[in-house]
Amino acid sequence: EIRGEDGALVASGARSGVRIPARGSVTLTHDLEIAAPRRWDIDDPHLYTLRTRVLKGGRIIDERDDAFGVRTFAWTADDGFHLNGRRVQIRGVNLHHDNGPLGAAAFRDAIERKLRIMKDMGANSIRTSHNPPSPHLLDLCDEMGLLVIDELFDKWGATASVDVGTERFVREYAEAEVRNLIRRDRNHPCVVLWSIGNEIGDVLRDADGRGAEHIAAVEGMFK
């Protein structure tokens, strides 16, 4: 079932009976329609909750809630970014994951404080730096109405203490990392852009003459 922020039921009725063998798995697909959805927006970050229940013999044995938003966005060649059919000027910051003297631990309260400071100074978007962010950050951006550029990774190589060059990263690791990032973050309405990486020096220099090929390969994985 799907409920709005006020708890009101807006869609329900999807149900399947299934027998799952021990150590087995089954994939189910259900369709639910929200008749008149309230759009998620930077000025009105409305979230719905999808509640999924597993019953055995009429008794609930598992339950999960997933938040999501309904919105449209588009990037246009001559009029910039549009959210829900209107042009929105992006005013963003490049926000690192650390929280001052608290270090790199992902404390939700510390992240919320940081995001409120960003909003108070006029920011409406965040670029995560330079790795997939804490789930807390995306949850908070959903709730607070901040757009997000979700970044895949920092540069690979000796300066990043990772002995993997771009060519090998694209060939051996990129597909799994892109898949994990999208599967984790795809239901966050705040995410409007995916970044394939930060400061990839050998691509910027076209060190092996295949920079465009590497970029196209990783971009293709997002599709």
Side-chain angles (χ1 to χ4, degrees):
E1 62 185 29
I2 299 175
R3 295 183 180 271
E5 284 188 342
D6 59 359
L9 185 66
V10 298
S12 65
R15 180 184 293 261
S16 294
V18 64
R19 185 178 297 274
I20 305 174
R23 304 182 187 278
S25 64
V26 173
T27 299
L28 301 174
T29 301
H30 292 138
D31 293 321
L32 287 170
E33 181 177 345
I34 302 174
R38 180 174 162 185
R39 302 290 182 91
W40 181 94
D41 201 285
I42 57 175
D43 299 321
D44 180 24
H46 183 268
L47 295 172
Y48 290 96
T49 299
L50 172 67
R51 175 164 294 171
T52 307
R53 290 184 174 128
V54 178
L55 293 85
K56 181 179 181 181
R59 182 174 62 90
I60 298 174
I61 60 173
D62 196 9
E63 183 175 273
R64 171 174 171 147
D65 287 349
D66 290 287
F68 69 96
V70 178
R71 54 96 176 95
T72 63
F73 69 88
W75 297 90
T76 68
D78 58 356
D79 198 34
F81 176 74
H82 285 229
L83 179 65
N84 296 322
R86 81 181 196 286
R87 187 183 187 281
V88 172
Q89 181 66 42
I90 292 178
R91 299 181 177 89
V93 295
N94 179 44
L95 195 66
H96 284 247
H97 66 285
D98 55 311
N99 294 296
L102 296 178
F107 297 107
R108 182 184 169 96
D109 288 350
I111 298 172
E112 181 177 4
R113 173 183 177 274
K114 187 162 58 174
L115 292 177
R116 292 202 180 281
I117 292 172
M118 297 300 105
K119 287 201 73 170
D120 288 345
M121 81 177 191
N124 64 8
S125 65
I126 302 295
R127 172 191 164 209
T128 69
S129 314
H130 298 286
N131 297 281
S134 160
H136 290 320
L137 182 135
L138 295 181
D139 289 343
L140 286 162
C141 287
D142 284 344
E143 296 167 14
M144 297 168 66
L146 286 161
L147 305 171
V148 171
I149 302 174
D150 202 346
E151 190 151 275
L152 179 63
F153 71 94
D154 201 354
K155 53 187 170 291
W156 288 68
T159 57
S161 302
V162 181
D163 188 21
V164 178
T166 296
E167 194 278 334
R168 185 181 168 199
F169 166 76
V170 172
R171 185 181 70 248
E172 299 182 19
Y173 301 103
E175 184 175 355
E177 295 215 10
V178 169
R179 184 188 305 113
N180 289 337
L181 177 69
I182 292 177
R183 284 182 174 175
R184 192 194 72 164
D185 297 348
R186 61 188 172 185
N187 286 326
H188 287 279
C190 65
V191 176
V192 295
L193 198 65
W194 305 93
S195 165
I196 66 170
N198 171 66
E199 296 179 356
I200 314 170
D202 49 350
V203 170
L204 295 173
R205 297 190 304 272
D206 199 13
D208 62 358
R210 299 172 57 204
E213 179 184 336
H214 298 319
I215 294 292
V218 178
E219 285 182 341
M221 296 169 190
F222 279 89
K223 302 174 182 177

